[in-house]
Amino acid sequence: MPQNEHIELSVKRHGRRFNHEEKVRKKLARSSHANAIKAKKLHGLKAKLYNKKRHAEKIQMKKTMKLHEEKQTRAREPEPVVEGAVPAYLLDRETESRAKVLSNMVKQKRKEKAGKWSVPIPQVKQMGEDEVFKVMATGKRKKKAWKRMVTKVTYVGEDFTRKPPKYERFIRPMALRFKKAHVTHPELKATFCLPMIGVKKNPNSPMYTQLGVITKGTVIEVNVSELGLVTTGGKVVWGKYAQVTNHPENDGCINAVLLV
């Protein structure tokens, strides 16, 4: 046996200590604190490389978790193909309905591209950066002022991974990150608590849209699969747009009206 494998040899001969597994578990649990302290102390190129490595690890971990979640879900079986010839009048009818669905889809896409919808609140009060962002003083002597904290409600996706705090310009506090909205259907006159998919457009600024800032008049996308809405082609509608009608940062919840 090589000289440097004396530890493995000792383990084979005498075994491990009775509390070895517990000590390893505790050491692993404490490692995150040690990593955080190391990230704070590092400077310059070493800090950049270390944070880049940690960021990649976090993303990989989230991807692995997502894969495990997908494995547990059951996929639907494909519908059986009907054998035999279909009458000509049925074929014509089917193509007509498909054409109609396609035209509706094209119209919807054009509306989305233009960024125009018939919304309940057509005009909203403009919000400046001084109202949405709070200047954060950083550095050893608190003389640097390039960081901004978002003071409004925000939405970040499920697979969102923060940048290393040292290099994060826009800080979105956890307390102001929302995942669900109270959406009212104008025709059904009923309100549902639906999960959000994303922020489509914030009328104040494209930067707020990119950051996922939600203010009054913002168009958000919500998951309406629970409502059982169906298209003319018979497919279940998954995502629909809704406009925020309240000030979420004051009320502590998002109230919106579905755009139908």
Side-chain angles (χ1 to χ4, degrees):
M1 183 176 269
Q3 193 181 355
N4 60 349
E5 290 183 6
H6 57 276
I7 295 170
E8 286 84 349
L9 183 63
S10 174
V11 169
K12 278 184 180 177
R13 283 178 180 168
H14 313 292
R16 295 185 185 276
R17 289 179 64 164
F18 68 96
N19 62 342
H20 172 75
E21 283 77 16
E22 187 65 17
K23 285 187 89 174
V24 168
R25 185 190 64 78
K26 284 184 177 178
K27 190 179 180 182
L28 193 68
R30 285 194 299 265
S31 63
S32 57
H33 299 287
N35 290 341
I37 292 162
K38 190 179 177 183
K40 281 181 185 176
K41 284 185 178 178
L42 286 173
H43 291 284
L45 187 62
K46 279 187 179 179
K48 276 187 180 178
L49 292 169
Y50 182 76
N51 286 317
K52 192 179 178 183
K53 181 188 160 192
R54 290 285 298 138
H55 191 244
E57 280 174 12
K58 281 181 185 177
I59 289 168
Q60 193 58 45
M61 186 174 68
K62 287 205 173 183
K63 280 182 181 174
T64 313
M65 285 166 74
K66 205 173 184 183
L67 279 172
H68 285 303
E69 283 171 15
E70 282 173 6
K71 277 179 188 175
Q72 288 165 6
T73 57
R74 290 180 183 178
R76 277 183 67 191
E77 290 179 8
E79 291 178 9
V81 180
V82 181
E83 290 180 6
V86 182
Y89 64 87
L90 279 179
L91 281 169
D92 294 340
R93 194 176 294 171
E94 194 180 356
T95 50
E96 278 174 12
S97 63
R98 276 183 183 172
K100 193 176 180 185
V101 170
L102 188 67
S103 67
N104 288 342
M105 280 170 67
V106 168
K107 282 177 188 173
Q108 187 71 18
K109 286 261 175 79
R110 280 178 188 164
K111 274 186 182 178
E112 284 173 27
K113 206 172 182 183
K116 291 173 184 176
W117 296 277
S118 53
V119 289
I121 306 167
Q123 284 188 329
V124 287
K125 184 192 161 193
Q126 196 69 23
M127 277 191 181
E129 285 193 13
D130 56 336
E131 199 177 341
V132 178
F133 300 126
K134 179 188 168 187
V135 179
M136 294 280 290
T138 54
K140 195 175 179 181
R141 290 169 186 82
K142 305 291 176 189
K143 287 199 172 183
K144 294 173 184 175
W146 59 277
K147 285 192 179 188
R148 299 286 180 271
M149 184 184 278
V150 182
T151 57
K152 302 290 176 189
V153 166
T154 55
Y155 170 79
V156 294
E158 290 293 325
D159 55 347
F160 170 72
T161 308
R162 268 185 77 185
K163 281 184 182 176
K166 200 172 184 179
Y167 303 106
E168 192 177 31
R169 177 161 161 73
F170 295 103
I171 301 159
R172 288 168 276 192
M174 285 287 288
L176 290 171
R177 289 186 203 172
F178 282 34
K179 288 184 179 178
K180 291 197 172 185
H182 302 126
V183 182
T184 305
H185 198 293
E187 290 170 7
L188 298 173
K189 304 289 182 189
T191 306
F192 306 94
C193 187
L194 302 173
M196 288 192 287
I197 301 168
V199 176
K200 183 64 185 170
K201 191 174 184 183
N202 190 315
N204 292 300
S205 166
M207 184 172 69
Y208 299 165
T209 308
Q210 196 180 354
L211 287 168
V213 177
I214 299 167
T215 54
K216 189 176 180 178
T218 304
V219 176
I220 58 171
E221 196 174 358
V222 289
N223 188 348
V224 292
S225 55
E226 294 172 18
L227 307 186
L229 299 174
V230 184
T231 61
T232 48
K235 290 185 179 178
V236 176
V237 178
W238 189 65
K240 254 190 170 313
Y241 297 125
Q243 191 186 30
V244 178
T245 55
N246 71 325
H247 294 286
E249 67 278 2
N250 296 340
D251 300 340
C253 65
I254 299 169
N255 297 337
V257 175
L258 203 68
L259 306 179
V260 289

